[in-house]
């Protein structure tokens, strides 16, 4: 068995934003190098695969990921991953991750992983499994930091963005103006006036509007 610890203390984001990523398992899985979720069974159970290189040995584990526990108040998450490789090796990892609020819009990610490996992989690369797991968790922490940073920047840009101003439609403006003028003018016309005089008056108004425009 091997154990690894990870600590990333430079998360330039509020702890609430970091927790949104940590508690979103499909998004969180993209932070793990070589890992991907292929199927979501329910909110706590997933299927997926992970590619791992240990020295000259390259393995692909397929298996299950379970959200064992989640503590929202303490912002702590426990995951259990189990997988089997076609060459007969199997691996299991329990990851406990938590967030610490450092105030001033900063947070820290702390994690601890317990790894168990069985099968031919133990003989092929037992001396390298520990260092490789350390590197993988460091890369996980760095990917987590980058994703949190990008999410925070995108939120800030969205807040600062102003809605586009509607374009001025000259034709529509002309028509609305003409309609208002015509309404006011025609209301003053004597109801006994002939249709010819009204039409002549309308034509005169249109000519006046076009000369002004």
């Amino acid at each position: 068995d091997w154990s690894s610890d990870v600590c990333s203390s430079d998360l330039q984001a509020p702890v609430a934003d970091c927790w949104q990523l940590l508690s979103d398992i499909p998004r969180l899985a993209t932070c793990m190098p070589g890992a991907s979720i292929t199927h979501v069974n329910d909110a706590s159970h997933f299927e997926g695969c992970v590619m791992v290189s240990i020295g000259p040995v390259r393995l692909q584990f397929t298996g299950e990921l379970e959200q064992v526990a989640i503590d929202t108040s303490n912002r702590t998450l426990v995951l259990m991953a189990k997988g089997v490789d076609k060459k007969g090796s199997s691996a299991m990892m329990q990851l406990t991750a938590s967030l610490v609020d450092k105030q001033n819009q900063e947070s820290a990610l702390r994690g601890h992983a317990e790894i168990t490996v069985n099968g031919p992989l133990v003989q092929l690369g037992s001396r390298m499994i520990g260092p490789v797991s350390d590197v993988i968790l460091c890369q996980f922490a760095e990917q987590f930091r980058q994703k949190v940073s990008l999410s925070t920047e995108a939120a800030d840009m969205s807040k600062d963005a102003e809605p586009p101003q509607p374009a001025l439609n000259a034709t529509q403006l002309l028509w609305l103006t003409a309609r208002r003028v015509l309404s006011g003018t025609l209301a003053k016309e004597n109801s006994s006036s002939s249709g010819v005089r009204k039409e002549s008056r309308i034509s005169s108004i249109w000519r006046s509007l076009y000369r002004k425009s």
Side-chain angles (χ1 to χ4, degrees):
D1 294 355
W2 293 266
S3 64
S4 297
D5 293 292
V6 59
C7 175
S8 178
S9 59
D10 59 345
L11 300 176
Q12 303 296 321
V15 70
D17 294 349
C18 298
W19 178 246
Q20 287 184 355
L21 175 57
L22 186 64
S23 58
D24 188 340
I25 306 303
R27 287 181 62 206
L28 182 65
T30 63
C31 297
M32 187 66 72
S36 62
I37 288 181
T38 57
H39 186 73
V40 178
N41 295 328
D42 56 42
S44 301
H45 297 84
F46 310 86
E47 298 177 14
C49 63
V50 58
M51 298 287 296
V52 180
S53 295
I54 302 178
V57 182
R58 185 175 178 83
L59 303 170
Q60 179 175 351
F61 291 93
T62 57
E64 301 175 349
L65 175 65
E66 179 185 0
Q67 178 184 284
V68 178
I70 184 170
D71 185 344
T72 303
S73 59
N74 293 315
R75 302 183 182 90
T76 300
L77 180 73
V78 180
L79 300 175
M80 176 69 75
K82 301 177 181 179
V84 179
D85 179 70
K86 294 180 180 179
K87 299 177 182 179
S89 296
S90 63
M92 179 177 67
M93 179 183 73
Q94 179 171 300
L95 173 66
T96 302
S98 61
L99 292 167
V100 179
D101 189 356
K102 299 182 64 179
Q103 305 300 324
N104 299 320
Q105 303 296 305
E106 292 187 3
S107 311
L109 171 67
R110 306 192 187 282
H112 177 76
E114 294 286 344
I115 302 170
T116 301
V117 177
N118 295 299
L121 180 58
V122 176
Q123 288 77 32
L124 290 174
S126 59
R127 294 182 180 180
M128 302 184 67
I129 292 175
V132 168
S133 64
D134 291 340
V135 171
I136 290 175
L137 286 181
C138 286
Q139 292 178 350
F140 166 80
E142 176 59 20
Q143 287 295 317
F144 188 93
R145 185 192 67 79
Q146 292 182 15
K147 288 183 181 295
V148 166
S149 178
L150 289 174
S151 297
T152 303
E153 291 176 3
D156 291 341
M157 291 178 63
S158 178
K159 291 179 182 179
D160 295 338
E162 295 183 358
Q165 297 296 324
L168 179 63
N169 189 320
T171 302
Q172 184 180 24
L173 178 62
L174 180 62
W175 165 245
L176 291 175
T177 304
R179 188 172 63 179
R180 180 169 297 182
V181 173
L182 288 172
S183 298
T185 302
L186 292 177
K188 296 178 182 179
E189 291 284 349
N190 193 306
S191 58
S192 62
S193 298
S194 66
V196 175
R197 291 180 57 193
K198 289 182 180 180
E199 190 164 327
S200 175
R201 179 61 175 166
I202 292 172
S203 298
S204 175
I205 291 172
W206 275 110
R207 285 195 299 271
S208 176
L209 285 172
Y210 275 112
R211 281 198 299 270
K212 292 180 179 180
S213 60

